[in-house]
Amino acid sequence: MTFGSSNRAKARLLARRPRATAPLKQSIIWGLLSLVGLFIVGLWVISRLNLEYSQRTLAEFHQRQIEVAFTNSLDRVNSRLQQIEQDSLRLVRIGQRLKASSTPGQQTELMQLLLERSELAGVGFWYGVSSDGVPGGGVQVYRMEDGAQTASAQAGLELRKEHWEPLLTENVSPPRYWWTPMYTHPLSGEPVISLVMPVLEGSRVVGVLSTDWQLQNLLTLLNSADIASGARIWLSSGHERRQATPLDEAQAGAILDQVEQYLMFETAGAAMQHDSYRIAGQPLELYYATTRAGLRLTAAVPRDEMSAVLLPLQKNSNRILLLGGLAILLLSAPILFKVTAPLRELKASYTDELTGLPNRARLLQELHYESGVTLILVNLDRFREINGLFGDACGDYILKEVALRLEGYISSMEWHGTRLYRLSGDEFAIQAPRRKPELIEAELEALLRCLRQAPVFWQNHQINLSATLSAAVPWYDAPRQHSLFIHAKEALREARQQGLHYRVYDGSQPLEQQFEHNQIWAGKLREALDSERLVAWYQPILNNTTGRIDKYECLVRMLDAEGNPASPGHFLGVAGKLRLDRHITRIMVERCFARFQDSPLQFSINLAYGDLQDIELTGFILEKLDETGVGPRVIFEILESDSIDNYDQVKEFVDQAKQRGCRIAIDDFGTGYSNFEHLLQLQVDLIKIDASLIRNLDSDTNARRVTRGIVGLARSMKIETVAEFVHSPEIQMEVLRLGISFSQGALIGMPSSELMVSVPKELVQQTYCGRSTSVQQLRAPVTRR
């Protein structure tokens, strides 16, 4: 190869290199363009998803607002009707004085009564009603524009007879009443609704009182603007209809007629019902319910009005999408960085499936970034029992109703930025702006009234709502993030323990003191276990039949280094948290069995459900029973408030203990919800009636009534009874009157390390044998010298 040919070959090689690298550059460029395109598509998808989510959320919120407004209107009408019923009951008493004859003085009294009540359109009293429903006479007055007028008893008689005939078909004691449909008053010509009530002598109908109430007074309670600006709301019954506001268009009457024809085939209940209907191409959302007077309350909201709320949101979303796409084309990298934050936020924003509210994860995330807010917790009372009694469907319905009430309350608050959450189960949370503790207490009271304002009706069952509330207010030296939620939970726990409706935590009593208290008593408890300073004390139980002490309840006490006892309330709760309660039960079994091994006296030991679940502990107890032979003198007290999930396991221990002569007692009977289940499953020998019933037995009639029922039940099942907390002679006398077998409390003797040997004479006198001896001495003949 010559030098010239070599140079030409090198030139051809250099010329080929750009052609080889061009596809790589193009692929990188196309890759970048594809990435930008993906960004745009991703932005479009995210915008659409956010738009759909926002539209759905806004639509649901608007829907809930309408439902709350309709429910409030229904509640106002029902409250007014209930007040009318109460007023009419007072009028019945007046009517009882008018049963002799229709005198001018009686007419004057009815006219004065009519003039005093502007909402009354007429009052009529008919007396001497025969078996066929025909009255003997009566008095009737009605309202006209120029004042009250009287009418003969026969005016409108057939209409009245139609109204009161249902009252004569059965015994009307206690009194019944009957609401009429709305109608035009035959004398005054005004639209009215009448309440017909019987006048009784004993259980016999001697007359009928009819009060006619102006319908306009009910209509003034309804305001369609509260529901929606274009809503129509009216009351109807039969073929009669009265609208709350004047018709605003010519075809409105025809539309309402079609709605009435449609609803004629629908059954309206006491709770709000919702349906969709289309009239002449116009879609409507219908809300209707039946009032306590039998009138149907109906509201019709054009769906176009509800959709119009979403149009600005859609326009703004399209505008944002266009500007965002242009911005991505110009600044793809910064936009990509900014999109990651909404994506992370979208991933963390979880929603409760049942209520559609943000859940616990969302609350904690928001508290992580903003802790300077007030946190309110709402925990429903007795929800577990209600859910177990009526089923999960009822529980879900109650949770939705509570969510609606809370949202309605929040919407009426003057706090900007307040938000509602559902945490778990029956617990809700409200995040509100920072407020002073005294203002928070007022808000908690108002929130309780909101929840209790009206019962929830489920399948003809009335369920009253109640809740326990707590609030945590941030303070300047809050130690860590999420502490607001922790302190709100602690305040809720303390409110439940202390029986309070609510509690506000503002940092004046730091939670760290409670932690420090637990640590101190945990150390003391471990030290007492190591040095064997957990001892048994014995509280005497008086046999009300013999007047002797033949039983003792064994109670654990912890002694300090100087030998002074500590209250069980200080260390038993800590022992449970440290899982040391089983060890304490072992100690009590060993020491009490040894103490009473050679004694004829009976003694009782408390066992929790957790103790009976521990196979090693129950085996240890049975082994000690076999070793000591104290079985016939042992009574095992099972806490009534403990919830037993596995009766087979518990019953196995009870059967083996009874084979060794042991007896079973239920402690604190009357405080929980499993009374009869325990009685049926555990073959109970004794019932210890709870101190909450005994402590006020001499002054509380309800406590005596409940206690008498427990004693009667126990007698029917051949079960002995023990009264706890007998602290005065007056209580002991009530115990004897009710026939309770044994007494225990401060009057008998407090727990002590030694057994009570002698019984005071005055205490023996307050037993069945003591009272019997006293009666015999009084009846004995007196020897004269």
Side-chain angles (χ1 to χ4, degrees):
M1 178 182 292
T2 62
F3 183 77
S5 62
S6 176
N7 288 338
R8 286 192 298 271
K10 185 181 292 186
R12 290 193 297 270
L13 181 61
L14 292 175
R16 293 192 187 102
R17 287 182 180 176
R19 297 190 182 96
T21 56
L24 180 59
K25 291 181 179 181
Q26 291 176 358
S27 62
I28 294 175
I29 293 174
W30 281 109
L32 291 175
L33 292 177
S34 300
L35 184 60
V36 172
L38 288 175
F39 287 163
I40 296 176
V41 173
L43 178 63
W44 182 85
V45 172
I46 293 173
S47 298
R48 285 299 173 186
L49 290 176
N50 285 335
L51 176 61
E52 292 177 2
Y53 177 81
S54 301
Q55 288 179 332
R56 184 171 62 254
T57 303
L58 186 59
E60 291 174 354
F61 178 75
H62 189 54
Q63 174 77 15
R64 285 195 290 269
Q65 281 185 318
I66 294 176
E67 293 175 354
V68 169
F70 181 87
T71 303
N72 291 338
S73 298
L74 179 63
D75 291 341
R76 287 195 297 269
V77 172
N78 283 331
S79 298
R80 181 63 189 129
L81 291 172
Q82 185 176 14
Q83 183 181 355
I84 289 175
E85 293 168 5
Q86 294 173 355
D87 291 342
S88 297
L89 285 175
R90 289 192 290 268
L91 297 181
V92 168
R93 302 188 187 97
I94 298 176
Q96 290 175 340
R97 302 198 307 266
L98 307 179
K99 63 184 180 182
S101 63
S102 176
T103 65
Q106 294 167 352
Q107 295 179 1
T108 302
E109 184 173 1
L110 283 182
M111 292 177 66
Q112 183 65 26
L113 184 66
L114 182 68
L115 294 175
E116 288 177 354
R117 291 168 171 81
S118 60
E119 65 272 22
L120 264 176
V123 180
F125 171 69
W126 289 265
Y127 56 88
V129 179
S130 62
S131 60
D132 59 354
V134 178
V139 182
Q140 183 177 11
V141 296
Y142 62 98
R143 184 184 301 276
M144 297 294 290
E145 293 182 357
D146 54 349
Q149 300 291 334
T150 62
S152 66
Q154 298 301 320
L157 177 61
E158 291 303 322
L159 176 64
R160 306 296 179 174
K161 179 181 176 183
E162 177 185 351
H163 292 169
W164 66 53
E165 275 185 338
L167 298 173
L168 305 176
T169 59
E170 60 183 18
N171 193 333
V172 290
S173 181
R176 296 174 57 252
Y177 58 86
W178 191 78
W179 282 101
T180 71
M182 69 171 67
Y183 66 97
T184 300
H185 197 278
L187 301 176
S188 66
E190 294 293 330
V192 296
I193 180 172
S194 298
L195 180 63
V196 184
M197 309 187 75
V199 180
L200 306 177
E201 281 186 357
S203 60
R204 186 173 64 89
V205 178
V206 298
V208 176
L209 177 71
S210 174
T211 55
D212 310 321
W213 301 88
Q214 294 180 356
L215 196 62
Q216 187 60 36
N217 286 276
L218 293 179
L219 296 176
T220 56
L221 300 175
L222 306 176
N223 187 359
S224 59
D226 292 342
I227 299 177
S229 59
R232 300 184 182 91
I233 183 168
W234 67 93
L235 289 170
S236 60
S237 65
H239 299 289
E240 294 287 336
R241 179 182 70 245
R242 289 295 184 273
Q243 187 163 312
T245 54
L247 299 178
D248 55 357
E249 57 186 77
Q251 61 177 359
I255 293 177
L256 299 189
D257 289 337
Q258 293 188 39
V259 172
E260 285 293 320
Q261 292 178 6
Y262 171 76
L263 294 180
M264 184 184 303
F265 303 97
E266 300 293 330
T267 301
M272 184 202 69
Q273 295 173 256
H274 174 218
D275 203 353
S276 299
Y277 185 56
R278 180 181 294 271
I279 298 177
Q282 179 183 4
L284 296 175
E285 296 296 323
L286 302 179
Y287 304 87
Y288 53 96
T290 301
T291 66
R292 64 187 295 129
L295 303 178
R296 186 177 67 236
L297 176 63
T298 309
V301 181
R303 197 178 306 164
D304 294 339
E305 178 180 337
M306 302 176 64
S307 302
V309 180
L310 307 178
L311 293 178
L313 182 64
Q314 186 173 5
K315 293 180 179 179
N316 291 335
S317 177
N318 294 333
R319 189 179 298 110
I320 292 173
L321 177 62
L322 178 60
L323 295 176
L326 294 175
I328 285 179
L329 292 175
L330 299 176
L331 303 170
S332 58
I335 291 298
L336 179 62
F337 175 78
K338 292 182 179 181
V339 166
T340 55
L343 288 176
R344 287 194 300 267
E345 181 181 356
L346 182 62
K347 182 178 180 180
S349 95
Y350 301 111
T351 303
D352 178 60
E353 183 178 358
L354 178 65
T355 61
L357 297 174
N359 59 9
R360 183 177 184 271
R362 185 58 180 268
L363 173 64
L364 294 180
Q365 183 197 29
E366 294 182 358
L367 291 178
H368 178 78
Y369 294 103
E370 178 55 60
S371 59
V373 296
T374 297
L375 182 63
I376 300 174
L377 298 184
V378 180
N379 191 273
L380 299 181
D381 296 334
R382 302 179 295 107
F383 180 79
R384 179 179 178 184
E385 288 75 20
I386 294 174
N387 203 36
L389 182 62
F390 297 104
D392 293 339
C394 177
D396 292 344
Y397 178 76
I398 290 177
L399 291 175
K400 293 178 182 178
E401 177 65 22
V402 170
L404 288 175
R405 293 189 183 184
L406 292 177
E407 286 186 335
Y409 176 80
I410 289 175
S411 63
S412 66
M413 296 172 62
E414 298 179 355
W415 297 355
H416 178 70
T418 303
R419 194 170 186 184
L420 176 65
Y421 307 80
R422 184 198 171 196
L423 302 185
S424 61
D426 56 349
E427 195 168 272
F428 294 81
I430 299 175
Q431 177 185 310
R434 184 169 183 169
R435 304 280 280 188
K436 294 181 179 180
E438 55 269 20
L439 297 179
I440 293 298
E441 291 181 358
E443 289 294 338
L444 294 183
E445 291 180 356
L447 190 57
L448 273 175
R449 290 194 297 269
C450 172
L451 291 174
R452 298 172 177 175
Q453 64 181 353
V456 175
F457 292 91
W458 172 259
Q459 296 180 352
N460 297 326
H461 296 284
Q462 176 176 313
I463 302 174
N464 296 313
L465 297 182
S466 182
T468 302
L469 311 182
S470 70
V473 181
W475 59 99
Y476 68 94
D477 58 348
R480 59 186 181 278
Q481 295 171 342
H482 291 186
S483 61
L484 199 65
F485 182 75
I486 295 174
H487 287 83
K489 292 288 288 186
E490 179 65 17
L492 183 64
R493 184 189 64 81
E494 291 181 5
R496 284 205 171 277
Q497 287 184 348
Q498 299 174 15
L500 303 175
H501 294 303
Y502 61 86
R503 189 179 187 280
V504 179
Y505 190 92
D506 58 359
S508 59
Q509 297 177 348
L511 186 62
E512 285 69 23
Q513 291 183 0
Q514 181 67 29
F515 295 154
E516 182 179 356
H517 172 272
N518 293 339
Q519 292 176 359
I520 292 174
W521 281 99
K524 290 182 178 181
L525 179 60
R526 290 193 177 92
E527 183 181 350
L529 289 172
D530 294 338
S531 55
E532 298 185 354
R533 284 191 277 109
L534 282 179
V535 299
W537 280 29
Y538 314 100
Q539 185 171 22
I541 300 176
L542 177 66
N543 189 323
N544 289 327
T545 301
T546 64
R548 299 176 182 177
I549 303 297
D550 56 9
K551 293 182 182 62
Y552 293 86
E553 181 176 0
C554 302
L555 304 169
V556 63
R557 292 293 185 268
M558 186 177 74
L559 305 179
D560 58 17
E562 290 76 23
N564 299 317
S567 173
H570 290 305
F571 64 88
L572 283 183
V574 176
K577 295 176 182 178
L578 296 177
R579 299 294 189 267
L580 295 176
D581 45 354
R582 310 288 189 274
H583 186 55
I584 294 176
T585 302
R586 282 176 173 264
I587 294 175
M588 290 293 293
V589 168
E590 284 185 329
R591 297 189 176 179
C592 295
F593 281 16
R595 175 64 180 82
F596 289 93
Q597 184 172 1
D598 299 325
S599 172
L601 298 172
Q602 299 180 32
F603 63 99
S604 63
I605 296 178
N606 293 311
L607 293 180
Y609 175 48
D611 296 330
L612 303 178
Q613 285 183 304
D614 192 329
I615 299 178
E616 293 184 2
L617 178 57
T618 55
F620 171 79
I621 295 174
L622 296 175
E623 180 181 349
K624 286 296 180 181
L625 287 172
D626 294 335
E627 289 180 3
T628 59
V630 298
R633 298 189 301 279
V634 176
I635 302 172
F636 291 114
E637 296 186 15
I638 300 175
L639 293 177
E640 193 279 332
S641 57
D642 281 355
S643 177
I644 298 178
D645 298 325
N646 186 356
Y647 270 104
D648 293 336
Q649 184 179 9
V650 176
K651 194 173 183 302
E652 181 180 356
F653 169 78
V654 170
D655 292 341
Q656 295 189 42
K658 280 183 170 289
Q659 290 176 5
R660 293 165 172 80
C662 301
R663 305 173 73 192
I664 303 299
I666 295 181
D667 197 11
D668 298 335
F669 190 87
T671 60
Y673 300 93
S674 52
N675 301 342
F676 299 103
E677 187 73 11
H678 286 4
L679 292 179
L680 296 175
Q681 296 283 352
L682 302 182
Q683 304 176 29
V684 174
D685 301 292
L686 290 96
I687 290 175
K688 301 192 72 174
I689 305 174
D690 184 64
S692 63
L693 296 174
I694 302 298
R695 62 162 51 95
N696 298 319
L697 201 59
D698 58 336
S699 58
D700 190 340
T701 56
N702 290 329
R704 285 197 298 270
R705 188 178 298 112
V706 174
T707 304
R708 185 180 295 109
I710 294 175
V711 174
L713 173 65
R715 284 178 177 173
S716 66
M717 301 180 70
K718 298 182 179 180
I719 297 175
E720 294 181 317
T721 51
V722 182
E724 299 183 299
F725 206 81
V726 178
H727 58 89
S728 68
E730 292 77 13
I731 297 294
Q732 175 65 4
M733 293 305 297
E734 292 295 334
V735 167
L736 297 180
R737 290 190 183 99
L738 292 173
I740 299 177
S741 309
F742 301 92
S743 296
Q744 179 181 355
L747 179 66
I748 316 302
M750 295 300 291
S752 173
S753 57
E754 300 296 333
L755 301 181
M756 183 177 178
V757 178
S758 60
V759 181
K761 181 179 179 181
E762 57 272 14
L763 187 57
V764 175
Q765 292 175 349
Q766 285 195 305
T767 59
Y768 300 123
C769 69
R771 296 176 68 187
S772 176
T773 303
S774 300
V775 171
Q776 291 176 3
Q777 291 175 353
L778 291 174
R779 293 178 178 176
V782 180
T783 304
R784 300 182 180 271
R785 294 183 179 180

